[in-house]
Each structure stands twice: as C-alpha cells, then as structure tokens.
Amino acid sequence: MSMHKQHTPEQKKLVREMLTEISRIPDNDEQSSVRALIALLNRLLRTKNLVPPTVELMCHIKQTKPELYHATRMSITSTSNLNLLFQLDADPELANARLQEYLED
C-alpha cells in the first residue's frame, strides 16, 4: 500500500534535472565539485511551491557520490543553511524506491 500521490510534470521535471545534474558532478573532493553540489543544494532549498523529495535526493547523493558528499559536508559551516540537509538520513533502498515512484506517471 503505497501512499501514491500524483506529482506534477513540473515536479518530475525538477527532480529529473536534479538527478541529471548530480550524475554530472564527479565523485571527488575537489573544490569545483564541492561548489557544484553546494550550488545545486542551494537551488533545492530555494525551490518554492514544489516540495522536492529532499531526503531522497540527499540519500541518493550520499549513496552514489560518497566522496563528494563527505567533502561537501566537511566544507560547509555548522551555521550554513545546508547543514540541515546533511543531517537527513533515510534507508537507501526506500529512498531510491521513492525517487523512482516520484518520477513515474
């Protein structure tokens, strides 16, 4: 019994774009990669009138880009608004399933 609610084409487009951008960032600890992820996360936080699957996206980054995730977490300050994102945790399989469900029609 999944609590399936329809996501708008705009929401799906946003999530697809985010996943594509995440996949393009190399999984390393170089400043350019860290900055790219920070820019993407800031955009995620600024998203209005669409509630993106933030927990699922963070879990996806943690699983698919562990080095980048760690380097970015280490580079932000404890007062950064992004800090909260790195406190989020979820079961990887569940998060992945939810992301897939999010993108389905």
Side-chain angles (χ1 to χ4, degrees), residues 25-94:
I25 305 172
D27 183 23
N28 59 40
D29 60 359
E30 291 177 23
Q31 272 312 110
S32 57
S33 302
V34 169
R35 276 197 300 271
L37 182 59
I38 286 173
L40 184 127
L41 295 177
N42 274 316
R43 209 175 97 212
L44 181 66
L45 286 181
R46 280 195 304 269
T47 304
K48 297 284 180 260
N49 57 34
L50 296 175
V51 179
T54 309
V55 173
E56 290 80 358
L57 284 168
M58 288 307 293
C59 193
H60 174 77
I61 295 165
K62 191 176 186 178
Q63 293 303 308
T64 60
K65 310 278 181 169
E67 202 176 327
L68 174 64
Y69 178 91
H70 184 73
T72 306
R73 197 181 79 202
M74 294 293 107
S75 77
I76 59 174
T77 63
S78 59
T79 55
S80 169
N81 57 340
L82 296 180
N83 198 36
L84 182 65
L85 292 178
F86 288 90
Q87 311 302 317
L88 300 173
D89 204 14
D91 177 86
E93 285 182 30
L94 185 61

